[in-house]
């Protein structure tokens, strides 16, 4: 199997998902949640869960996290946040799902303006850090629903976002989020 951000993240998520009901699995997810908002260098307690799965080509040689590391690390943190207090996995195995599709489930029939504002703020982010902050808040809202996210796809999108394809990533998310918003009566 080729080592892509999507594949590596998928393997790590599957390993984590298989242990969510064990005490060690819960502790791992808690450590990942506690690492949110910190630089990778400051999160020694989660290094075994992340670095043990990364191919050498994804690892930093300069001491500055690589785009692969940042994308995978962020996606794992979001997964841990979303999975908190849930017994059923929040990870979607559907490769065509993206965060826009998942967030679409938050749009209520009566009032979609509030979630639309949050979504629009996310897709107009100008930095990876700003995007991550908006994503974290939206995933907290998703915790109240049964929506799942393809965390491997999210990591892949975050990787491409950092590599100059942010407009393409945001457009795909927007297309998924807003598509078919008018329901038949």
């Amino acid at each position: 199997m080729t080592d892509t951000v999507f594949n590596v993240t998928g393997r790590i998520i599957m390993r984590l998902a298989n242990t969510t009901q064990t005490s060690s699995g819960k502790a791992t997810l808690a450590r990942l949640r506690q690492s949110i908002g910190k630089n990778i260098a400051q999160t020694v307690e989660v290094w075994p869960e992340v670095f043990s799965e990364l191919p050498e080509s994804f690892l930093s040689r300069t001491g500055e996290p690589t785009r692969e590391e940042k994308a995978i690390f962020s996606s794992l943190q979001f997964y841990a946040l979303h999975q908190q207090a849930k017994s059923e996995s929040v990870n979607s195995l559907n490769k065509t799902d993206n965060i826009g599709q998942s967030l679409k489930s938050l749009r209520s029939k009566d009032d979609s303006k509030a979630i639309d504002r949050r979504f629009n703020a996310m897709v107009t982010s100008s930095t990876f850090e700003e995007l991550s902050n908006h994503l974290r808040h939206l995933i907290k809202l998703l915790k109240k629903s049964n929506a799942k996210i393809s965390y491997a796809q999210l990591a892949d999108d975050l990787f491409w976002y950092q590599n100059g394809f942010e407009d393409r990533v945001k457009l795909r998310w927007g297309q998924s989020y807003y598509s078919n918003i008018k329901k038949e009566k």
Side-chain angles (χ1 to χ4, degrees):
M1 181 183 285
T2 307
D3 283 331
T4 63
V5 168
F6 182 92
N7 291 337
V8 170
T9 306
R11 283 196 306 264
I12 297 171
I13 294 289
M14 291 304 289
R15 183 174 44 80
L16 292 172
N18 288 332
T19 64
T20 57
Q21 298 308 308
T22 67
S23 58
S24 65
K26 290 176 184 179
T28 297
L29 292 177
R31 286 191 299 275
L32 279 166
R33 281 191 302 276
Q34 291 164 357
S35 73
I36 292 173
K38 296 179 183 175
N39 183 297
I40 295 173
Q42 300 169 331
T43 59
V44 176
E45 61 279 356
V46 295
W47 287 358
E49 285 80 18
V50 180
F51 294 140
S52 66
E53 296 284 338
L54 297 186
E56 189 175 335
S57 62
F58 286 13
L59 298 175
S60 169
R61 294 185 191 358
T62 64
E64 186 67 32
T66 64
R67 293 172 180 157
E68 292 90 348
E69 288 172 319
K70 287 170 67 174
I72 292 169
F73 194 80
S74 296
S75 188
L76 294 175
Q77 291 171 322
F78 296 143
Y79 167 75
L81 179 65
H82 193 183
Q83 188 63 54
Q84 184 178 18
K86 293 194 177 256
S87 56
E88 186 178 323
S89 178
V90 297
N91 183 52
S92 169
L93 299 176
N94 189 344
K95 285 185 174 184
T96 61
D97 284 353
N98 64 42
I99 192 70
Q101 184 71 33
S102 301
L103 292 170
K104 182 179 184 174
S105 68
L106 293 177
R107 300 183 90 228
S108 70
K109 296 174 187 169
D110 301 326
D111 182 29
S112 61
K113 289 184 177 154
I115 190 66
D116 288 354
R117 274 193 306 275
R118 288 177 181 257
F119 179 82
N120 292 339
M122 178 189 69
V123 296
T124 57
S125 298
S126 57
T127 66
F128 182 78
E129 291 71 24
E130 183 183 0
L131 177 74
S132 295
N133 187 47
H134 286 294
L135 272 170
R136 181 172 66 243
H137 293 295
L138 286 165
I139 288 170
K140 284 181 181 180
L141 293 175
L142 272 177
K143 285 176 65 169
K144 300 173 185 172
S145 73
N146 290 326
K148 294 185 177 198
I149 297 173
S150 171
Y151 281 96
Q153 184 59 55
L154 179 58
D156 199 53
D157 287 344
L158 293 174
F159 172 73
W160 290 110
Y161 179 94
Q162 297 175 82
N163 279 290
F165 294 94
E166 61 274 7
D167 288 341
R168 289 182 186 179
V169 169
K170 291 180 203 182
L171 179 61
R172 277 199 332 272
W173 290 355
Q175 289 166 335
S176 295
Y177 180 78
Y178 285 112
S179 67
N180 299 319
I181 59 174
K182 292 185 179 181
K183 305 281 186 209
E184 290 183 30
K185 294 182 180 180

